[in-house]
Amino acid sequence: MVKIADRDWLLAHGRTLTLGGKARLMAIVNVTPDSFSDGGDHVAVEDAVSFGLRCLEEGADILDIGGESTRPGAEPVSAAQEQDRVLPVIEALAKQTDALISIDTYRAETARLALTAGAHIINDVYGLQREPEIAAVAANVRAGICMMHTGRGREVLADPIADQNLFFQNSLAIAAAAQVLPATITLDPGFGFAKETVETNMDLMARFEELHGLGFPLLVGTSRKRFLGTLSGRDAAERDYATAATSVLLRMKGASVFRVHNVKVNRDALAVADAMLAAQARI
């Protein structure tokens, strides 16, 4: 078990979120027709907003709004299409709640518009390396940033932790050049992103503690991923219990934030994990 010290994650609009003693949940709100497990469920603005509100009631700390599927083989969308999908949802949620809102995008302009609309966090699946100017967008308003590791479109080192370190060194250099505050940064090892086999994902999970050497809070997104389907034999929409198992395992190894489709199941599982961590600290 890993002891997780409290630290404040600095976010846009003067907000903070304390990470450490309590597992935090980031609810996935895909405003897309083709995401791998919930595509088409929340395409209409009112459906996405309603789902987001339900996630908050179930215990979500953050709503992560995405307008482009990142599944392998997904059709790319234009920046205008992405913005048309996500901005009305962010604006509506910002007006109706004080929830923390994340924009799932690698595009600098989409991120800028989303932050103006009320978002607090940028969740970039390319770790600032697809459009490096996104780092300056974040720095200008002290937005929270989640930099995700990916192996897509590049040579990957054989050792998974060495590859994580190499990738994040590049991402953190981009952030430093844009004067991004370290206290705004979280890192995501990117389970399932060019990590195609069960063994690759499980090896990364087994060695997860080594990622603490990077010095930043860790956010994870295993929810309903293909490797869980291989292990469980279940279709994407039926992988929430397998997801919860990985959430508990990764919490015990020091993960702070969990990006999930099913908030309720993961909230309950992580409450048990948090209680065990608290008991371990007392011994």
Side-chain angles (χ1 to χ4, degrees):
M1 299 183 195
V2 175
K3 184 176 181 180
I4 311 168
D6 280 352
R7 65 171 87 183
D8 285 337
W9 186 14
L10 303 186
L11 312 174
H13 311 299
R15 300 288 295 275
T16 62
L17 181 65
T18 301
L19 306 179
K22 179 183 178 183
R24 299 297 189 175
L25 288 160
M26 173 185 274
I28 299 168
V29 184
N30 284 323
V31 194
T32 58
D34 57 347
S35 291
F36 75 95
S37 79
D38 58 357
D41 289 353
H42 317 121
V43 173
V45 172
E46 57 270 24
D47 291 338
V49 171
S50 177
F51 178 70
L53 294 174
R54 185 164 77 250
C55 289
L56 294 175
E57 292 175 357
E58 293 176 351
D61 299 284
I62 305 165
L63 302 178
D64 190 41
I65 315 301
E68 179 174 6
S69 175
T70 56
R71 67 175 175 80
E75 287 294 323
V77 303
S78 69
Q81 286 176 301
E82 179 188 42
Q83 291 156 21
D84 285 345
R85 291 174 179 177
V86 300
L87 294 178
V89 176
I90 293 170
E91 290 169 353
L93 287 168
K95 288 177 181 177
Q96 295 182 41
T97 77
D98 63 352
L100 294 174
I101 300 170
S102 171
I103 175 62
D104 179 0
T105 188
Y106 59 83
R107 292 186 175 94
E109 181 62 8
T110 299
R112 185 188 68 79
L113 292 170
L115 291 166
T116 300
H120 307 87
I121 300 163
I122 299 168
N123 181 17
D124 184 351
V125 298
Y126 285 96
L128 312 184
Q129 296 184 39
R130 177 82 173 257
E131 291 193 10
E133 55 269 32
I134 200 171
V137 171
N140 287 341
V141 296
R142 205 191 70 175
I145 302 179
C146 177
M147 306 176 191
M148 197 196 78
H149 172 280
T150 184
R152 292 180 182 176
R154 64 181 187 85
E155 293 293 324
V156 175
L157 300 179
D159 182 274
I161 302 301
D163 194 70
Q164 293 273 330
N165 288 332
L166 175 63
F167 182 90
F168 283 130
Q169 285 172 8
N170 293 331
S171 293
L172 291 167
I174 292 168
Q179 299 184 317
V180 171
L181 294 176
T184 63
I185 295 172
T186 61
L187 304 179
D188 177 350
F191 285 98
F193 280 76
K195 304 168 185 71
E196 303 301 335
T197 67
V198 169
E199 290 76 17
T200 301
N201 287 281
M202 296 308 295
D203 288 352
L204 179 57
M205 195 177 303
R207 296 179 63 187
F208 188 82
E209 293 99 327
E210 296 178 50
L211 297 176
H212 292 294
L214 292 162
F216 293 92
L218 298 171
L219 182 152
V220 293
T222 60
S223 190
R224 299 180 181 176
K225 291 291 174 71
R226 184 183 303 173
F227 77 97
L228 296 179
T230 302
L231 288 170
S232 67
R234 297 190 180 278
D235 293 335
E238 299 178 330
R239 298 172 190 165
D240 291 329
Y241 297 110
T243 298
T246 64
S247 293
V248 169
L249 291 169
L250 290 166
R251 180 60 175 164
M252 305 310 285
K253 290 175 173 287
S256 292
V257 185
F258 299 80
R259 184 177 182 272
V260 299
H261 295 87
N262 188 318
V263 172
K264 186 183 296 185
V265 167
N266 285 275
R267 178 201 62 194
D268 291 356
L270 286 166
V272 177
D274 281 348
M276 178 56 73
L277 288 169
Q280 183 69 23
R282 293 193 298 269
I283 297 173

